[in-house]
Amino acid sequence: QVQLVESGGGLVQPGGSLRLSCAASGGIFSIDSMSWYRQPPGKQRELVAAITSGGSTSYADSVKGRFTISRDNAKNTVYLQMNSLKPEDTAVYYCTIEAKRQRGAPWLPYWGQGTQVAVSL
C-alpha cells in the first residue's frame, strides 16, 4: 500500500516562508514525476509545481520566483519551499506522484491526504 505523508503546513504571516515535505513509502519500485497541487477555499484544485525524475521543474505563473520544488530520490521525498507567501496562497496543499510498484507495472498516480497552509495576519 503506497502512502504519501505530508508535513510542514501551518499558519504564517504574509511575507513569511514554509517548507512542505511529502514522503512516499509502501513498496515503491520507482517514481517518475512528483507534484504539488493546492485547493483554495471554494475553488478547484490547481497544479502548483512539478518535478520530473530527471529534475526538470515547472511552476504555476502565480508562484514563479517564490516557490521551489525539489526532490530527494534516496528518500522518496518531494519538497516545496514557499517564500514571500501571500494570503492568496492559503489552501490545502496536496502532493502526488506517478509511481510503479514493480518492474513492468503501469505508472499509477498516488495522492497525499493534504496539509493546510494559511497565510494571514
Side-chain angles (χ1 to χ4, degrees), residues 2-7 19-32 34 36 70-79 95 97 99:
V2 174
Q3 289 187 322
L4 275 64
V5 178
E6 296 142 339
S7 60
R19 188 192 194 209
L20 305 183
S21 300
C22 173
S25 62
I28 295 172
F29 173 74
S30 181
I31 298 176
D32 191 8
M34 307 179 86
W36 288 95
S70 61
R71 62 191 285 172
D72 184 332
N73 292 327
K75 296 181 179 179
N76 286 344
T77 299
V78 61
Y79 305 96
C95 68
I97 65 172

Side-chain angles (χ1 to χ4, degrees), residues 10-110:
L11 174 63
V12 64
Q13 292 185 350
S17 298
L18 284 174
R19 188 192 194 209
L20 305 183
S21 300
C22 173
S25 62
I28 295 172
F29 173 74
S30 181
I31 298 176
D32 191 8
S33 63
M34 307 179 86
S35 306
W36 288 95
Y37 282 73
R38 68 185 180 186
Q39 187 163 17
K43 296 184 179 180
Q44 292 187 329
R45 193 173 297 190
E46 60 184 9
L47 177 63
V48 176
I51 184 167
T52 68
S53 57
S56 296
T57 59
S58 58
Y59 298 91
D61 287 343
S62 59
V63 307
K64 281 181 181 177
R66 300 188 298 121
F67 291 11
T68 302
I69 189 171
S70 61
R71 62 191 285 172
D72 184 332
N73 292 327
K75 296 181 179 179
N76 286 344
T77 299
V78 61
Y79 305 96
L80 186 68
Q81 178 65 44
M82 305 186 294
N83 299 328
S84 303
L85 282 160
K86 304 175 181 179
E88 51 264 43
D89 294 318
T90 295
V92 178
Y93 284 71
Y94 299 89
C95 68
T96 181
I97 65 172
E98 292 282 327
K100 59 171 67 177
R101 300 193 67 190
Q102 59 185 11
R103 190 185 303 276
W107 295 103
L108 296 176
Y110 298 93

